[in-house]
Coordinates of all heavy atoms in Angstrom, one line a residue:
E62 N 0.8 -1.2 0.0 CA 0.0 0.0 0.0 C 0.9 1.3 0.0 O 1.8 1.4 0.8 CB -0.9 0.0 1.2 CG -1.8 1.2 1.3 CD -2.7 1.2 2.5 OE1 -2.7 0.2 3.3 OE2 -3.5 2.1 2.7
R63 N 0.5 2.2 -0.8 CA 1.2 3.5 -0.9 C 0.3 4.6 -0.4 O -0.9 4.5 -0.6 CB 1.7 3.8 -2.3 CG 2.7 2.8 -2.9 CD 3.2 3.2 -4.3 NE 2.1 3.1 -5.2 CZ 2.1 3.5 -6.5 NH1 3.3 4.0 -6.9 NH2 1.1 3.4 -7.3
D64 N 0.9 5.6 0.2 CA 0.1 6.7 0.6 C -0.5 7.5 -0.6 O 0.1 7.6 -1.6 CB 0.9 7.7 1.5 CG 1.4 7.0 2.7 OD1 0.8 6.0 3.2 OD2 2.5 7.5 3.3
I65 N -1.8 7.9 -0.4 CA -2.5 8.7 -1.4 C -1.9 10.1 -1.5 O -2.0 10.8 -0.5 CB -4.0 8.7 -1.2 CG1 -4.5 7.3 -1.2 CG2 -4.7 9.6 -2.2 CD1 -6.0 7.2 -1.0
T66 N -1.4 10.5 -2.6 CA -1.0 11.9 -2.9 C -1.7 12.4 -4.1 O -2.5 11.7 -4.7 CB 0.6 11.9 -3.0 OG1 0.9 11.1 -4.2 CG2 1.3 11.4 -1.8
F67 N -1.3 13.6 -4.5 CA -1.9 14.1 -5.7 C -1.4 13.4 -7.0 O -1.9 13.6 -8.1 CB -1.6 15.6 -5.8 CG -0.1 15.9 -6.1 CD1 0.3 16.2 -7.4 CD2 0.8 15.9 -5.1 CE1 1.7 16.4 -7.7 CE2 2.2 16.2 -5.3 CZ 2.6 16.4 -6.6
R68 N -0.4 12.5 -6.8 CA 0.1 11.8 -8.0 C -0.6 10.5 -8.2 O -0.5 9.9 -9.3 CB 1.6 11.6 -7.8 CG 2.4 12.9 -7.7 CD 3.9 12.6 -7.6 NE 4.7 13.8 -7.5 CZ 5.2 14.5 -8.5 NH1 4.9 14.2 -9.7 NH2 5.9 15.6 -8.2
N69 N -1.1 9.9 -7.2 CA -1.7 8.5 -7.3 C -3.0 8.4 -6.6 O -3.3 7.6 -5.7 CB -0.7 7.5 -6.7 CG -0.4 7.7 -5.2 OD1 -0.7 8.8 -4.7 ND2 0.1 6.7 -4.6
I70 N -4.0 9.3 -7.0 CA -5.3 9.3 -6.4 C -6.0 8.1 -7.1 O -6.0 8.0 -8.3 CB -6.1 10.6 -6.7 CG1 -5.3 11.8 -6.0 CG2 -7.5 10.5 -6.2 CD1 -5.9 13.1 -6.3
P71 N -6.7 7.2 -6.3 CA -7.3 6.0 -6.9 C -8.4 6.5 -7.8 O -9.2 7.4 -7.6 CB -7.9 5.3 -5.6 CG -7.1 5.8 -4.5 CD -6.7 7.2 -4.8
E72 N -8.5 5.7 -8.9 CA -9.6 6.0 -9.9 C -10.1 4.6 -10.4 O -9.5 3.6 -10.1 CB -9.0 6.7 -11.1 CG -8.6 8.2 -10.8 CD -8.3 8.9 -12.1 OE1 -8.7 8.5 -13.2 OE2 -7.6 10.0 -12.0
I73 N -11.2 4.7 -11.2 CA -11.8 3.5 -11.8 C -11.0 3.2 -13.0 O -10.9 4.0 -13.9 CB -13.2 3.7 -12.1 CG1 -14.0 4.0 -10.8 CG2 -13.8 2.4 -12.7 CD1 -14.0 2.9 -9.8
K74 N -10.4 2.0 -13.1 CA -9.6 1.6 -14.3 C -10.5 0.8 -15.3 O -10.5 1.1 -16.5 CB -8.4 0.7 -13.8 CG -7.4 0.5 -14.9 CD -6.2 -0.2 -14.4 CE -5.2 -0.5 -15.5 NZ -4.0 -1.2 -14.9
E75 N -11.2 -0.2 -14.8 CA -12.0 -1.1 -15.7 C -13.0 -1.8 -14.9 O -12.9 -2.0 -13.7 CB -11.2 -2.0 -16.5 CG -10.4 -3.1 -15.7 CD -9.5 -4.0 -16.5 OE1 -8.8 -3.4 -17.4 OE2 -9.6 -5.2 -16.3
I76 N -14.1 -2.3 -15.5 CA -15.1 -3.0 -14.9 C -15.4 -4.3 -15.8 O -15.7 -4.1 -17.0 CB -16.4 -2.2 -14.7 CG1 -16.2 -1.0 -13.8 CG2 -17.5 -3.1 -14.1 CD1 -17.4 -0.1 -13.6
T77 N -15.4 -5.4 -15.1 CA -15.7 -6.7 -15.8 C -17.0 -7.2 -15.3 O -17.2 -7.4 -14.1 CB -14.5 -7.7 -15.6 OG1 -13.3 -7.2 -16.0 CG2 -14.8 -9.0 -16.3
V78 N -17.9 -7.5 -16.3 CA -19.2 -8.1 -16.0 C -19.2 -9.5 -16.6 O -19.1 -9.6 -17.8 CB -20.3 -7.2 -16.5 CG1 -21.7 -7.7 -16.1 CG2 -20.2 -5.7 -16.0
S79 N -19.5 -10.5 -15.8 CA -19.5 -11.9 -16.3 C -20.7 -12.6 -15.7 O -21.3 -12.2 -14.7 CB -18.2 -12.6 -15.8 OG -18.1 -12.6 -14.4
T80 N -21.1 -13.6 -16.4 CA -22.2 -14.4 -16.0 C -21.9 -15.9 -16.3 O -21.2 -16.2 -17.2 CB -23.5 -14.0 -16.7 OG1 -24.6 -14.9 -16.3 CG2 -23.4 -14.2 -18.2
F81 N -22.5 -16.8 -15.4 CA -22.2 -18.2 -15.5 C -23.6 -18.9 -15.5 O -24.4 -18.8 -14.6 CB -21.4 -18.7 -14.3 CG -21.2 -20.2 -14.3 CD1 -20.5 -20.8 -15.3 CD2 -21.7 -20.9 -13.2 CE1 -20.3 -22.2 -15.2 CE2 -21.6 -22.3 -13.2 CZ -20.8 -22.9 -14.2
V82 N -23.9 -19.6 -16.6 CA -25.2 -20.2 -16.8 C -24.9 -21.7 -17.3 O -24.8 -22.0 -18.4 CB -26.0 -19.5 -17.9 CG1 -26.6 -18.2 -17.3 CG2 -25.2 -19.0 -19.1
P83 N -24.8 -22.6 -16.3 CA -24.6 -24.0 -16.7 C -25.8 -24.6 -17.5 O -25.6 -25.6 -18.2 CB -24.5 -24.7 -15.3 CG -24.2 -23.6 -14.3 CD -24.9 -22.4 -14.9
A84 N -27.0 -24.0 -17.3 CA -28.1 -24.5 -18.1 C -28.0 -24.3 -19.6 O -28.7 -24.9 -20.4 CB -29.4 -23.8 -17.6
G85 N -27.0 -23.5 -20.0 CA -26.8 -23.3 -21.4 C -26.2 -24.5 -22.1 O -26.2 -24.6 -23.4
L86 N -25.8 -25.5 -21.4 CA -25.3 -26.7 -22.0 C -26.5 -27.5 -22.6 O -26.3 -28.2 -23.7 CB -24.6 -27.6 -21.0 CG -23.3 -27.0 -20.4 CD1 -22.7 -27.9 -19.3 CD2 -22.2 -26.8 -21.5
K87 N -27.6 -27.4 -22.0 CA -28.8 -28.2 -22.5 C -29.6 -27.3 -23.4 O -30.1 -27.8 -24.5 CB -29.7 -28.7 -21.4 CG -29.0 -29.7 -20.5 CD -30.0 -30.2 -19.4 CE -29.3 -31.3 -18.6 NZ -30.3 -31.8 -17.6
D88 N -29.7 -26.0 -23.1 CA -30.5 -25.1 -23.9 C -29.7 -23.9 -24.4 O -29.3 -23.0 -23.6 CB -31.7 -24.6 -23.1 CG -32.7 -23.8 -23.9 OD1 -32.5 -23.7 -25.1 OD2 -33.7 -23.3 -23.3
P89 N -29.3 -23.9 -25.6 CA -28.4 -22.8 -26.1 C -29.1 -21.5 -26.1 O -28.4 -20.4 -26.1 CB -28.1 -23.2 -27.6 CG -28.3 -24.7 -27.6 CD -29.5 -24.9 -26.7
N90 N -30.4 -21.4 -26.0 CA -31.1 -20.1 -25.9 C -30.8 -19.4 -24.7 O -30.8 -18.1 -24.6 CB -32.6 -20.3 -26.0 CG -33.0 -20.9 -27.4 OD1 -32.4 -20.6 -28.4 ND2 -34.1 -21.7 -27.4
V91 N -30.4 -20.1 -23.6 CA -30.1 -19.4 -22.3 C -28.8 -18.6 -22.5 O -28.6 -17.5 -22.0 CB -29.9 -20.5 -21.2 CG1 -29.5 -19.8 -19.9 CG2 -31.2 -21.2 -21.0
L92 N -27.8 -19.1 -23.3 CA -26.6 -18.4 -23.6 C -26.9 -17.2 -24.4 O -26.3 -16.1 -24.2 CB -25.6 -19.3 -24.2 CG -25.0 -20.4 -23.4 CD1 -24.1 -21.3 -24.2 CD2 -24.1 -19.8 -22.3
I93 N -27.8 -17.3 -25.4 CA -28.1 -16.2 -26.2 C -28.7 -15.0 -25.4 O -28.4 -13.9 -25.6 CB -29.0 -16.6 -27.4 CG1 -28.3 -17.7 -28.3 CG2 -29.5 -15.4 -28.2 CD1 -29.2 -18.2 -29.3
V94 N -29.6 -15.4 -24.5 CA -30.3 -14.4 -23.7 C -29.3 -13.7 -22.7 O -29.3 -12.5 -22.6 CB -31.4 -15.0 -22.9 CG1 -32.0 -14.0 -21.9 CG2 -32.5 -15.5 -23.8
A95 N -28.4 -14.5 -22.2 CA -27.4 -14.0 -21.3 C -26.4 -13.0 -22.0 O -26.1 -12.0 -21.5 CB -26.6 -15.1 -20.6
R96 N -26.1 -13.4 -23.2 CA -25.2 -12.5 -24.0 C -25.9 -11.2 -24.4 O -25.3 -10.1 -24.3 CB -24.7 -13.2 -25.2 CG -23.6 -12.5 -25.9 CD -23.1 -13.3 -27.1 NE -22.0 -12.6 -27.8 CZ -21.4 -13.0 -28.9 NH1 -21.9 -14.1 -29.5 NH2 -20.4 -12.4 -29.4
A97 N -27.2 -11.3 -24.7 CA -28.0 -10.1 -25.1 C -28.2 -9.2 -23.9 O -28.1 -8.0 -24.0 CB -29.3 -10.5 -25.7
V98 N -28.4 -9.8 -22.7 CA -28.5 -8.9 -21.5 C -27.2 -8.2 -21.2 O -27.2 -7.0 -20.9 CB -29.0 -9.8 -20.3 CG1 -28.9 -9.0 -19.0 CG2 -30.4 -10.3 -20.5
L99 N -26.1 -8.9 -21.2 CA -24.8 -8.2 -20.9 C -24.5 -7.2 -22.0 O -23.9 -6.1 -21.7 CB -23.7 -9.2 -20.9 CG -23.3 -9.7 -19.5 CD1 -24.4 -10.3 -18.7 CD2 -22.0 -10.6 -19.5
L100 N -24.9 -7.4 -23.2 CA -24.7 -6.4 -24.3 C -25.5 -5.2 -24.1 O -25.0 -4.0 -24.3 CB -25.0 -7.0 -25.7 CG -24.9 -6.1 -26.9 CD1 -23.6 -5.5 -27.0 CD2 -25.4 -6.8 -28.1
A101 N -26.7 -5.4 -23.6 CA -27.6 -4.2 -23.3 C -27.1 -3.4 -22.1 O -27.2 -2.2 -22.1 CB -29.0 -4.7 -23.1
M102 N -26.6 -4.1 -21.1 CA -26.2 -3.5 -19.9 C -24.9 -2.6 -20.1 O -24.8 -1.5 -19.6 CB -25.9 -4.5 -18.8 CG -27.2 -5.1 -18.2 SD -26.8 -6.6 -17.2 CE -25.7 -5.9 -16.0

């Protein structure tokens, strides 16, 4: 940990959004819906 100064103020770098749907193995439509939801968000 480094002390916060005017040179290293914490900021948002990136955000990762993921989803895990095991039901997509039987029904591929679940994966399509999950991908469409993440695309819209």
Side-chain angles (χ1 to χ4, degrees):
E62 181 179 358
R63 295 182 297 174
D64 296 337
I65 297 178
T66 62
F67 69 98
R68 299 181 184 273
N69 59 343
I70 300 177
E72 293 187 21
I73 301 298
K74 189 175 182 180
E75 63 184 46
I76 297 179
T77 301
V78 184
S79 60
T80 179
F81 175 65
V82 282
L86 296 176
K87 294 184 177 181
D88 188 1
N90 295 328
V91 178
L92 290 173
I93 297 175
V94 173
R96 191 179 186 187
V98 169
L99 259 64
L100 175 60
M102 290 169 51

